[in-house]
């Protein structure tokens, strides 16, 4: 599949990411530095009032540019999938499966297309799938941050990180955190579920996943980690 618009770059998962009964997640990498100027030109005609208000609320220009670029790109991808103008898409929030609150997965109001979006620094990942999907991109943190947050992960993950040489732990932690966030976004629960509940593992060769889900690392630029999680189409909440 080719990118539907020059605004987008395709990011290939390190492994095929497929729900148990067929289909796969398509993932794109967005670079706000390279693609921001085009996105900013499209934004007035593409973003809705809520997105424009959110964009205006960022104090740092870099954060605003990444937000606008990521959301314009998401609309371009979804509009291409649905054969409609990106500015005409209407987004809603599903109910949280943990508490029932209105902060679950983002969804399209009138189309059964599943998607997820994550941005970090000047980069963003977006994913589209035939089943619930989550995507995440994380910057490799400072060693102290990796040590502190790594202790809060699933006990097996914390132990795996501790067994690594100190120089490798920050990148390994970012890999685990991206996998975990991708799962939580796919489930539609966010961090309310807790980062110690589900085991995704630190092994760079293979990601674990909650029951009914598949997880894969995504190839992203050095200094970042990316992951995508996709559910069986019959397993909406994992």
């Amino acid at each position: 599949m080719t990118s539907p618009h020059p605004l987008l770059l395709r990011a290939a998962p390190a492994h095929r990411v497929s729900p148990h009964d067929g289909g796969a997640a398509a993932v794109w990498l967005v670079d706000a530095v390279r693609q921001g100027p085009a996105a900013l030109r499209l934004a007035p005609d593409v973003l809705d009032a809520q997105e424009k208000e959110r964009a205006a609320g960022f104090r740092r220009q870099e954060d605003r540019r990444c937000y606008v670029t990521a959301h314009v790109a998401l609309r371009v991808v979804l509009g291409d999938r649905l054969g409609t103008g990106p500015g005409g898409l209407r987004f809603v929030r599903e109910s949280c499966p943990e508490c029932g609150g209105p902060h679950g997965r983002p969804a399209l109001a009138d189309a059964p297309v599943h998607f997820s979006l994550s941005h970090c620094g000047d980069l963003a990942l977006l994913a589209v799938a035939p089943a619930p999907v989550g995507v995440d991109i994380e910057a490799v943190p400072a060693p102290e941050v990796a040590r502190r947050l790594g202790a809060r992960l699933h006990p097996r993950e914390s132990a795996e990180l501790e067994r690594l040489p100190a120089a490798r732990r920050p990148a390994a932690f970012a890999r685990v955190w991206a996998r975990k966030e991708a799962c939580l976004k796919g489930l539609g629960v966010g961090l309310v579920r807790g980062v110690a509940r589900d085991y995704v593992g630190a092994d760079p060769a293979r990601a674990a996943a909650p029951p009914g889900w598949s997880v894969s690392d995504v190839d992203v630029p050095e200094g970042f980690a990316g992951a995508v999680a996709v559910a069986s189409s019959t397993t909406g909440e994992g």
Side-chain angles (χ1 to χ4, degrees):
M1 174 181 171
T2 58
S3 296
H5 192 280
L7 187 65
L8 305 175
L9 301 175
R10 185 66 178 271
H15 307 286
R16 181 174 174 79
V17 188
S18 300
H20 300 161
D21 54 351
V27 184
W28 287 266
L29 175 70
V30 180
D31 184 330
V33 173
R34 295 177 56 187
Q35 298 157 300
L40 290 171
R41 289 193 298 270
L42 292 171
D45 298 322
V46 170
L47 300 184
D48 63 22
Q50 185 176 7
E51 289 167 318
K52 291 174 182 176
E53 182 179 359
R54 177 73 185 278
F58 287 101
R59 293 185 177 182
R60 297 178 67 246
Q61 180 180 354
E62 294 83 0
D63 295 335
R64 184 182 308 113
R65 178 181 62 192
C66 189
Y67 176 88
V68 168
T69 305
H71 282 255
V72 168
L74 176 64
R75 284 178 169 274
V76 167
V77 165
L78 293 175
D80 180 75
R81 283 292 179 103
L82 298 171
T84 188
L89 301 173
R90 187 166 64 89
F91 296 103
V92 296
R93 279 279 183 176
E94 297 178 349
S95 298
C96 172
E98 293 280 329
C99 68
H103 49 259
R105 279 187 297 259
L108 284 170
D110 305 311
V113 177
H114 298 275
F115 63 90
S116 183
L117 175 65
S118 176
H119 38 86
C120 179
D122 292 322
L123 299 176
L125 284 177
L126 62 94
V128 179
V133 64
V135 72
D136 191 62
I137 183 168
E138 299 287 337
V140 175
E144 172 56 27
V145 174
R147 184 199 65 78
R148 175 168 48 84
L149 295 182
R152 303 179 186 177
L153 298 173
H154 189 285
R156 288 173 60 192
E157 294 163 348
S158 297
E160 289 169 3
L161 293 175
E162 282 297 317
R163 288 195 293 268
L164 292 174
R168 292 173 53 192
R169 289 176 195 162
F173 167 81
R175 179 168 59 247
V176 174
W177 195 268
R179 291 172 176 177
K180 199 169 293 282
E181 283 269 26
C183 288
L184 294 175
K185 290 178 180 179
L187 288 165
V189 296
L191 293 175
V192 68
R193 187 179 175 95
V195 295
R197 179 169 170 178
D198 301 302
Y199 173 75
V200 296
D203 186 347
R206 184 182 67 86
W213 289 78
S214 298
V215 179
S216 177
D217 297 330
V218 176
D219 293 329
V220 292
E222 185 175 356
F224 293 86
V228 58
V230 62
S232 164
S233 63
T234 58
T235 307
E237 309 305 336

